[in-house]
Amino acid sequence: MVDPFYPLQEGNAPIEGDGNVCALRIRDGRVDLKIRYVDTERLRLERQANKRLFGLYRNPFTHHPCVRAAVDSTANTNLVYWAGKLLALKESAQPYQVHPDTLETITYDPFNSPGLTFSAHPKVDPYTRELVVFGYEAKGLGTDDVVIYALDEQGAIHDEQWIKSPWPAFIHDCALTANFIILVLWPYETDVDHMKKGGQHWIYSKDLPATFVVVPRHPNDLPTGWKTGETRVYHSDHAVLLHTAGSWEETAENGDVRLYFESSRIRYNLFPVFGPPTDKPFGDFQADYVRWEIDLTKPTNTRVVDPAVILDMPGEMARVDERFLTKPYDKLFCPVIPPGKQRPIPPILPIGLHAYVMLDKPSGKVDMFDPGQGCTVEEPIFVPRTKDAPEGDGWVLGMIQRMDVNRSDLVVLDTRDFGNPVAVVQLPFRIKGQIHGNWVDALPGEKSMTRILEPVEKIMGKGAL
């Protein structure tokens, strides 16, 4: 969750603020809740001074001079469990490791990773059992250097490679196939001189296209037709592809390869503070969910074909059955803004999401769970019913913010009856809005997250009866 411990400097983006972990543990029909800040270097410095020391998002020139050499990551974007470590992620730096039971912060950069940055959206390949990672601005502020590598199940680094981005771009997410990683570039650029003058890290540009950089995953075992160090860049009309869902590749009989991935397509600036003050905030709210096709027989700097619309309504934070990541899939679980309904928040992605849908792609059938007026919904997670359950058979869990009663509810939906919750876990208060999260199966040696009381051996006998 984004939860500033001290009030932020005016002009900050909504993605700035200290990382606060909300953990919900489900066991035997009961749910435990624990909330704890990630003890980043940044937060520890500010608590030591008992005041704000850090300025604008990712602009160290606006920080207090005494902390400009500190890691300014808030670790507020995502939580991923890998190689026995729970990682709190922010793409401006390396991960912080936190304890899965106590949520105590253990260390910074637990894998001694290459480069200065680690994506908030690494991808697990369930078939090769590795975590594929990238980091942009990996050699420092405003650089166009990107590092890509994989972590095996023991946390060892392999397939490390360094590439150049077409420009120093905002690369928040990627898509993964069996042999390629697709970096998805947002239409924002950075300029260190602009930051030195007190400006924002990112500058929105309507002139930049939606851009994809395709890189082979295995530099020592390149696909046919690829040269050492080669990358290929493709583009489409201007849009922000906020997050991807699933992705896969298809090889024709003649060996031609096409890549496919699905994502939101948003045709406005998500962050007005990064745009010119004369811009109309959020434009006309145009957004949908689409499937992209990249034909690798086409040369670099080629425009891709227009994407196919798979969900004709604004949708974001979609999830899939990640047991099948890198393969074609049928089910998509997506928070959406349903048309024609009045809601408490304007139809802005992703904060204005109001309902969950389950899309069966082959048939086009859409099932919806709508929690009602006065609510927004957040990123869901999918939990398979069993380890070998069919794709998309299981449960979808998501947090609902009930503004009408100032409460947060965890909803559990069964994919076999999507419109009717199996359970609604009413939290005793309203928590901060989340960015991302994940499901982790019960761990060996797991201990209680909450305080354990000593058992009462003998009743004192001093009560009313």
Side-chain angles (χ1 to χ4, degrees), residues 82 122-134 147-152 157-163 174-183 213-224 226-232 247-249 259 296 322 324-327:
W82 187 254
K123 303 294 185 185
V124 174
D125 186 328
Y127 301 98
T128 63
R129 296 306 304 162
E130 57 188 358
L131 183 73
V132 180
V133 181
F134 72 93
V147 63
I148 302 169
Y149 55 96
L151 293 167
D152 65 22
I157 296 166
H158 57 95
D159 287 335
E160 179 182 340
Q161 53 186 318
W162 288 80
I163 69 166
C174 69
L176 196 68
T177 72
N179 294 292
F180 297 93
I181 181 172
I182 307 165
L183 303 178
V213 180
V214 179
V215 186
R217 283 176 52 184
H218 309 292
N220 298 320
D221 185 18
L222 292 171
T224 302
W226 286 75
K227 300 176 182 178
T228 300
E230 181 182 4
T231 63
R232 297 178 190 175
S247 44
W248 64 96
E249 62 189 68
L259 309 182
L296 294 186
E322 292 167 5
F324 300 91
L325 202 62
T326 75
K327 302 292 185 183

Side-chain angles (χ1 to χ4, degrees), residues 41 45-46 48-49 51-54 60 62-71:
E41 183 179 34
L45 285 165
E46 289 192 328
Q48 183 178 333
K51 64 178 181 180
R52 182 186 74 228
L53 297 173
F54 292 81
T62 63
H63 302 343
H64 191 283
C66 71
V67 299
R68 288 182 180 177
V71 175

Side-chain angles (χ1 to χ4, degrees), residues 57-78:
Y57 171 77
R58 295 181 70 174
N59 183 349
F61 303 104
T62 63
H63 302 343
H64 191 283
C66 71
V67 299
R68 288 182 180 177
V71 175
D72 68 358
S73 166
T74 54
N76 71 3
T77 310
N78 202 357

Side-chain angles (χ1 to χ4, degrees), residues 10 22 92 103 191 212 232 253 284 342 373 401 414:
E10 187 176 350
C22 174
S92 60
L103 303 186
D191 183 281
F212 323 114
R232 297 178 190 175
E253 290 184 3
D284 297 320
Q342 291 187 346
Q373 293 188 356
Q401 301 290 1
D414 191 324

Side-chain angles (χ1 to χ4, degrees), residues 29-231:
R30 306 286 295 182
V31 182
D32 289 338
L33 167 69
K34 193 179 189 73
I35 296 176
R36 186 166 185 161
Y37 277 101
V38 183
D39 289 335
T40 62
E41 183 179 34
R42 168 186 175 135
L43 181 58
R44 288 163 53 215
L45 285 165
E46 289 192 328
R47 295 195 69 173
Q48 183 178 333
N50 199 26
K51 64 178 181 180
R52 182 186 74 228
L53 297 173
F54 292 81
L56 293 177
Y57 171 77
R58 295 181 70 174
N59 183 349
F61 303 104
T62 63
H63 302 343
H64 191 283
C66 71
V67 299
R68 288 182 180 177
V71 175
D72 68 358
S73 166
T74 54
N76 71 3
T77 310
N78 202 357
L79 286 153
V80 172
Y81 187 79
W82 187 254
K85 295 175 172 61
L86 183 59
L87 309 174
L89 303 178
K90 181 76 173 182
E91 63 205 56
S92 60
Q94 293 293 340
Y96 281 90
Q97 180 187 351
V98 299
H99 195 285
D101 293 326
T102 66
L103 303 186
E104 291 178 284
T105 302
I106 297 172
T107 191
Y108 178 71
D109 191 13
F111 299 116
N112 193 25
S113 296
L116 298 175
T117 60
F118 188 112
S119 170
H121 288 288
K123 303 294 185 185
V124 174
D125 186 328
Y127 301 98
T128 63
R129 296 306 304 162
E130 57 188 358
L131 183 73
V132 180
V133 181
F134 72 93
Y136 68 93
E137 290 187 74
K139 290 187 177 180
L141 196 68
T143 61
D144 59 0
D145 300 281
V146 180
V147 63
I148 302 169
Y149 55 96
L151 293 167
D152 65 22
E153 290 185 288
Q154 288 70 48
I157 296 166
H158 57 95
D159 287 335
E160 179 182 340
Q161 53 186 318
W162 288 80
I163 69 166
K164 292 287 189 178
S165 176
W167 73 90
F170 204 153
I171 314 176
H172 180 64
D173 203 357
C174 69
L176 196 68
T177 72
N179 294 292
F180 297 93
I181 181 172
I182 307 165
L183 303 178
V184 180
L185 279 59
W186 291 359
Y188 297 79
E189 50 195 347
T190 189
D191 183 281
V192 174
D193 288 335
H194 179 69
M195 284 188 270
K196 288 180 178 178
K197 297 174 184 177
Q200 298 283 353
H201 185 105
W202 295 115
I203 305 167
Y204 175 66
S205 174
K206 293 180 179 178
D207 297 326
L208 288 171
T211 302
F212 323 114
V213 180
V214 179
V215 186
R217 283 176 52 184
H218 309 292
N220 298 320
D221 185 18
L222 292 171
T224 302
W226 286 75
K227 300 176 182 178
T228 300
E230 181 182 4
T231 63

